[in-house]
Amino acid sequence: MENSLYRQAGVDIDAGNRAVELMKSAVQSTYTPAVLAGVGGFGGLFALHDLPAAPVLVSSIDGVGTKVKLAAQLGRWEGIGHDIANHCTDGILVQNARPLFFLDYLATSKLNPVAAAAVVQGMAAACRANGCALIGGETAEMPGVYVEGAFDVAGAIVGLVDRAALLPRLDAMRPGDALLGLPSSGPHTNGYSLIRRVVEGRNLQEALMDNRTLADALLAPHRAYVSEVDQLQRAGILIKGMAHVTGGGILENVPRSLPPQLAARIVTKSWTPPLIFQRLVAWAGIPPQEAYRVFNMGIGMVLMVDADGVDEALLQLPEAVVIGRLVERNAAAEPVQLIG
Amino acid sequence: MENSLYRQAGVDIDAGNRAVELMKSAVQSTYTPAVLAGVGGFGGLFALHDLPAAPVLVSSIDGVGTKVKLAAQLGRWEGIGHDIANHCTDGILVQNARPLFFLDYLATSKLNPVAAAAVVQGMAAACRANGCALIGGETAEMPGVYVEGAFDVAGAIVGLVDRAALLPRLDAMRPGDALLGLPSSGPHTNGYSLIRRVVEGRNLQEALMDNRTLADALLAPHRAYVSEVDQLQRAGILIKGMAHVTGGGILENVPRSLPPQLAARIVTKSWTPPLIFQRLVAWAGIPPQEAYRVFNMGIGMVLMVDADGVDEALLQLPEAVVIGRLVERNAAAEPVQLIG
């Protein structure tokens, strides 16, 4: 975001400058020695180092859906930065890649430097936690393309994995392998079109039974699961595959990491969906089964783990839950069987 | 873009399916052997190979500004795909990186599969020409965020360069080095907020003197200069730096590749700005000097080349023009001096 942009936008230059400084220092706080900064000020430079035998770059680009609309409405932007960075991180973590660097695109009808700085600070904090450099970004002001007061954010991530460590390992999966669920912090980035419809007219400041407001629960940032996966792998637990529970929920994401001859039998009562999901499902009046397609229902990541490793995994990660197991799948059967 | 998205959007499934097939085959046409396809359907996988001694990844994320608004208004989408892919490519080419892969984010108020397929086909064609794999993408439908009928597109690119070959080489630049201009195809992706204002109310189908319509001239896709730079380097010409003439024009982009003790003396009459720029400048009523800040004025890329290499460079690239040279810069002098 340049001063010239502020001039065009008629933004107060001092406020703009403060925002730029905040963003710069946030971005720089994510730099590792691999980032070659200050070379001409063009593209982000990342020096590859300590490469594995067969290095594979894993990349993904994504947005956070209409959660941005809710954030804009409430003037709470920082969490959106966490959302996009963590969502992208989990998107490549399922292939066992660890993030190297992240780039963001932030566009709006009219530049709001305070909002932009908050989003970037959120992204930077999430990137730091994930060991990822925030290496580049673009801020665009596009009146006539974006609705007044609305903004959108997209992120691109690049990670690295050794080809031999790529997941899922479909050939290694067996009936009896455990499905380990890692808790989400809330709806993450999915189901917000429905969410926005069902909360319309409600007081977003109303307290839920867990003492958070509805707004807090809906804007809780997406979690990344890098440290959890690291911890299990360091403990020698064989993770055969992972499913990031994003659009399509457990029902549509778990099958993406399964071979055709195996199904996931999931016992829904093995965990209690957090209050926010119970409310959303009731307000929306959707059938129980459908809830596991629209929302993550409290499980943000599913790991396929060898049954022998389950006890140790639960010791390592007390918040993890065995939510089901792999079973043989008949040709006509669904890839996910939800058992109440 | 998934079928489920079409269902939500109420799009005709057959039209949707045809569009998805078109996109798939366009995307796959960009794949090189480095792309590991079909592994789980998650992130894009790119196997690094033939790495230089000190591999540096160069990345950039960008949009194409409000050119998307004009394209949507005219229902001409394919060029926008070329625009974003080539704009990103030139963004990392200036550091002497060659693109490995590209990812796109396409978002709109309401999904139009024909438009989306056209954009993706344009991107794929540009990626193929630049030796770049279109490795990932996301399509988002966000009513309430985007203005009805409007769309935006962002692209992220990752390229590779040997650290020893990184540009600009500020230490190698000398007074007398030539500034070689490579022609643009039109305004590329810059100045479109002004352009849209000045052409408002004009007949975009009116023929310009060069027999193209105004719409053709305004939507001509951004050029990439990979093959031109390759050709010069293969011929042994030492390129010391490059400037991609994007937002800020020649006046603001050339200095980004110059050391503080050198200025660019540019003789504007050394080339004739294409007709479209003459018209736009006249219609907008902007001062001549300002035109070189708002528009590229016919020069899409500027190369800083050793004076000894100029004759050979002009033989290699007959369309290139010497537009000026580097001179010593006094502390108080502007970094670009335009001479009429």
Side-chain angles (χ1 to χ4, degrees):
Chain A
M1 196 144 57
E2 305 295 339
N3 271 343
S4 60
L5 260 183
Y6 289 128
R7 278 196 297 273
Q8 287 168 28
V11 166
D12 173 74
I13 298 285
D14 283 342
N17 285 343
R18 277 194 304 276
V20 168
E21 285 310 312
L22 286 174
M23 283 190 271
K24 269 191 194 159
S25 79
V27 165
Q28 284 167 4
S29 74
T30 70
Y31 286 179
T32 57
V35 177
L36 311 180
V39 185
F42 292 101
L45 302 180
F46 190 95
L48 289 169
H49 57 99
D50 300 327
L51 289 174
V56 174
L57 296 179
V58 185
S59 55
S60 183
I61 193 164
D62 226 319
V64 299
T66 51
K67 191 173 186 176
V68 290
K69 189 81 183 163
L70 198 63
Q73 179 189 333
L74 289 163
R76 288 172 59 170
W77 300 286
E78 190 167 342
I80 292 293
H82 289 263
D83 281 316
I84 184 66
N86 286 339
H87 178 84
C88 288
T89 297
D90 287 339
I92 62 167
L93 182 64
V94 294
Q95 296 186 282
N96 211 14
R98 296 302 183 277
L100 301 177
F101 56 85
F102 176 81
L103 308 103
D104 77 283
Y105 177 77
L106 182 63
T108 179
S109 59
K110 183 163 171 59
L111 214 61
N112 173 345
V114 173
V119 173
V120 171
Q121 287 180 302
M123 289 190 295
C127 283
R128 269 198 315 276
N130 300 331
C132 176
L134 205 180
I135 209 169
E138 168 69 4
T139 308
E141 187 180 66
M142 300 175 70
V145 175
Y146 291 84
V147 171
E148 217 180 299
F151 73 104
D152 195 13
V153 60
I157 199 161
V158 175
L160 182 68
V161 62
D162 189 13
R163 190 161 179 171
L166 260 174
L167 293 180
R169 284 186 52 192
L170 301 183
D171 57 321
M173 293 183 188
R174 300 278 178 272
D177 284 349
L179 296 167
L180 209 63
L182 303 182
S184 65
S185 60
H188 282 183
T189 57
N190 285 102
Y192 280 85
S193 292
L194 177 62
I195 289 172
R196 286 173 48 233
R197 267 203 307 278
V198 303
V199 303
E200 211 179 298
R202 278 181 195 277
N203 175 13
L204 293 170
Q205 304 310 330
E206 77 176 89
L208 294 176
M209 286 193 308
D210 57 2
N211 278 329
R212 293 190 305 172
T213 65
L214 183 53
D216 290 339
L218 294 178
L219 290 181
H222 197 299
R223 276 184 63 172
Y225 300 95
V226 177
S227 62
E228 286 79 2
V229 169
D230 277 347
Q231 191 178 337
L232 293 184
Q233 291 179 333
R234 268 199 311 268
I237 290 157
L238 177 66
I239 299 174
K240 299 180 177 180
M242 306 185 217
H244 177 202
V245 186
T246 173
I250 288 173
L251 286 180
E252 292 184 13
N253 286 288
V254 169
R256 297 170 69 194
S257 289
L258 293 183
Q261 76 278 11
L262 291 175
R265 181 167 297 163
I266 291 176
V267 182
T268 55
K269 71 179 171 200
S270 44
W271 79 98
T272 306
L275 189 62
I276 182 67
F277 294 104
Q278 302 175 28
R279 291 288 165 88
L280 289 171
V281 169
W283 291 339
I286 50 178
Q289 178 105 356
E290 189 59 15
Y292 294 84
R293 190 187 308 277
V294 179
F295 300 121
N296 66 55
M297 296 301 283
I299 302 295
M301 184 73 84
V302 177
L303 311 181
M304 292 78 172
V305 172
D306 196 278
D308 288 346
V310 170
D311 290 349
E312 178 62 24
L314 294 175
L315 273 177
Q316 291 287 335
L317 299 179
E319 63 169 5
V321 183
V322 177
I323 63 167
R325 60 193 175 89
L326 297 188
V327 296
E328 284 185 30
R329 178 183 175 202
N330 301 323
E334 292 292 324
V336 177
Q337 304 159 12
L338 289 186
I339 296 180
Chain B
M1 196 143 57
E2 305 296 338
N3 272 343
S4 60
L5 258 183
Y6 289 127
R7 279 196 295 275
Q8 284 168 29
V11 166
D12 173 74
I13 298 286
D14 283 343
N17 285 343
R18 277 194 303 277
V20 168
E21 285 310 312
L22 286 174
M23 283 190 272
K24 269 191 195 158
S25 79
V27 165
Q28 284 168 3
S29 75
T30 69
Y31 286 179
T32 57
V35 177
L36 310 180
V39 185
F42 292 100
L45 302 181
F46 190 93
L48 289 169
H49 56 98
D50 300 327
L51 289 174
V56 174
L57 296 179
V58 185
S59 55
S60 183
I61 194 164
D62 226 322
V64 299
T66 50
K67 191 173 187 176
V68 289
K69 187 85 183 160
L70 199 64
Q73 181 189 334
L74 289 162
R76 288 172 59 170
W77 300 285
E78 190 167 342
I80 292 293
H82 289 263
D83 281 316
I84 184 67
N86 286 338
H87 179 85
C88 288
T89 298
D90 287 339
I92 61 167
L93 182 63
V94 294
Q95 296 185 282
N96 210 15
R98 296 302 183 277
L100 301 177
F101 56 85
F102 176 80
L103 308 103
D104 76 284
Y105 177 77
L106 182 64
T108 177
S109 59
K110 183 163 171 59
L111 214 62
N112 173 344
V114 174
V119 172
V120 171
Q121 286 180 303
M123 289 190 296
C127 283
R128 269 198 313 277
N130 299 332
C132 176
L134 205 180
I135 211 170
E138 169 69 5
T139 308
E141 186 180 65
M142 299 173 73
V145 175
Y146 290 84
V147 170
E148 216 180 299
F151 73 104
D152 195 13
V153 59
I157 198 160
V158 175
L160 182 69
V161 62
D162 189 13
R163 191 160 179 172
L166 262 174
L167 293 180
R169 285 186 51 193
L170 301 182
D171 57 319
M173 294 184 188
R174 302 278 179 271
D177 284 347
L179 296 167
L180 209 63
L182 303 182
S184 65
S185 60
H188 283 183
T189 56
N190 286 102
Y192 280 84
S193 292
L194 177 63
I195 288 172
R196 286 172 47 230
R197 268 203 307 278
V198 304
V199 303
E200 210 179 297
R202 279 182 193 278
N203 175 11
L204 292 169
Q205 304 309 331
E206 78 176 89
L208 295 176
M209 285 194 309
D210 57 4
N211 279 329
R212 292 190 305 172
T213 65
L214 183 52
D216 291 339
L218 293 179
L219 289 181
H222 197 298
R223 276 184 63 172
Y225 300 94
V226 176
S227 62
E228 287 78 2
V229 169
D230 278 346
Q231 191 177 340
L232 294 184
Q233 290 178 334
R234 269 198 309 268
I237 291 157
L238 177 66
I239 300 174
K240 299 179 177 181
M242 308 185 215
H244 177 203
V245 186
T246 174
I250 288 172
L251 286 180
E252 292 185 13
N253 286 288
V254 170
R256 296 172 69 195
S257 291
L258 293 183
Q261 75 278 12
L262 291 174
R265 181 168 295 163
I266 290 175
V267 182
T268 55
K269 71 179 172 200
S270 45
W271 80 97
T272 307
L275 189 60
I276 181 67
F277 293 105
Q278 302 175 29
R279 292 288 165 86
L280 289 171
V281 169
W283 291 339
I286 50 178
Q289 177 106 358
E290 188 59 15
Y292 294 86
R293 190 186 307 277
V294 178
F295 300 121
N296 65 55
M297 296 301 282
I299 302 295
M301 185 72 85
V302 177
L303 310 180
M304 292 77 173
V305 172
D306 196 278
D308 288 346
V310 170
D311 290 350
E312 179 62 24
L314 295 175
L315 274 177
Q316 291 286 337
L317 300 179
E319 62 169 6
V321 184
V322 177
I323 63 168
R325 61 194 174 89
L326 297 187
V327 296
E328 283 184 29
R329 178 184 175 198
N330 301 323
E334 292 291 325
V336 176
Q337 304 160 12
L338 290 185
I339 296 178

